[in-house]
Amino acid sequence: MDALPAKINVFIVEDDVVTRDSLRARIEAHPRLRVGAAHGTAAEGIAALHAARPHVLLVDLGLPDGNGIDVIRAALRRHPDLPIMVITVFGNEKRVVAAIQAGASGYLLKDDPTHEIGAAIELLLQGGSPISPAIARHLIRHFQEHGDPPSAATRETLTARELEVLALATKGFSYPEIAQLLGLSTNTIASYTKHIYEKLAVGSRSEAIYEASRLGLLER
């Protein structure tokens, strides 16, 4: 997202009051982030998204009046390029795949200790996809079992280095961590990532994992 202001406006849709307050406190402890709205139902969240446009949406899946996936779809109808991250206790394969297909660009489990919320939001805004390692495994398994068999030409879509970068991203490593592991600069990893997205015709890490898994590119 270009030309971000000094303060990043985050909307939260989360029905549990304790979790919602915890998210607010953790977000607002970050110097560049602020919570513009925090609601506990799908209806309230959708109404807020019609009244204003945040820079980021965080949404739970289990809401008292519906599914968070409904909020994701409504948000993207109103704001097609809005970065959306699921934060939930639900990690089963069906919910994960449905959320990614609906348009979520990140998926974190509430009990995942590997992600700090401020850093995850920054990654999302940089075009990355914060994703819990357990969720990445769900996506890979799903498309290993249900994806179409790839052709030989499709398997060669990504270079060996691009596959290496994607494999590390699948494990939940950030751009700087991947750069350190491969002995490259963060800018070089960003360049590889851009090429991966272009070749797979996707716009986020979760979509790249989803598509590469479907095509069998992560089985090599």
Side-chain angles (χ1 to χ4, degrees):
M1 190 175 294
D2 297 329
L4 288 171
K7 282 287 187 179
I8 307 303
N9 192 29
V10 181
F11 275 22
I12 302 171
V13 182
E14 162 63 61
D15 66 310
D16 183 78
V17 175
V18 174
T19 301
R20 192 166 66 237
D21 289 346
S22 174
L23 280 172
R24 181 192 290 274
R26 289 156 59 197
I27 288 168
E28 295 197 334
H30 190 284
R32 293 198 61 206
L33 305 179
R34 65 177 295 273
V35 175
H39 297 288
T41 69
E44 291 172 350
I46 291 170
L49 287 162
H50 276 77
R53 188 203 191 287
H55 297 110
V56 178
L57 171 64
L58 307 185
V59 60
D60 190 10
L61 294 184
L63 299 170
D65 60 338
N67 193 313
I69 290 172
D70 298 328
V71 179
I72 294 171
R73 289 173 177 152
L76 291 176
R77 283 196 296 269
R78 184 74 174 181
H79 311 293
D81 61 342
L82 177 65
I84 299 174
M85 183 159 59
V86 171
I87 300 184
T88 186
V89 296
F90 297 113
N92 65 76
E93 184 177 295
K94 183 177 180 181
R95 287 179 183 264
V96 171
V97 172
I100 299 300
Q101 289 176 330
S105 296
Y107 199 118
L108 300 183
L109 296 176
K110 290 179 181 177
D111 59 356
D112 179 2
T114 66
H115 287 283
E116 192 279 316
I117 191 65
I121 290 173
E122 287 190 322
L123 177 61
L124 195 71
L125 289 167
Q126 291 164 7
S129 291
I131 187 165
S132 294
I135 300 306
R137 287 194 293 271
H138 276 311
L139 290 174
I140 291 171
R141 182 168 60 248
H142 176 83
F143 287 102
Q144 285 174 340
E145 294 175 355
H146 304 291
D148 298 328
S151 65
T154 298
R155 280 186 170 275
E156 299 307 321
T157 298
L158 303 183
T159 67
R161 178 63 89 182
E162 288 165 350
L163 285 168
E164 194 172 13
V165 169
L166 183 56
L168 290 171
T170 298
K171 295 177 181 177
F173 291 107
S174 66
Y175 288 173
E177 289 170 336
I178 294 171
Q180 184 175 17
L181 287 168
L182 297 182
L184 302 171
S185 71
T186 301
N187 286 340
T188 299
I189 298 302
S191 178
Y192 277 125
T193 301
K194 179 181 178 182
H195 292 154
I196 290 168
Y197 289 2
E198 289 173 348
K199 290 180 178 182
L200 296 179
V202 299
S204 70
R205 177 184 296 206
S206 57
E207 290 174 323
I209 293 169
Y210 180 104
E211 186 66 11
S213 300
R214 186 183 70 81
L215 295 173
L217 297 176
L218 295 175
E219 299 173 14
R220 300 172 59 143

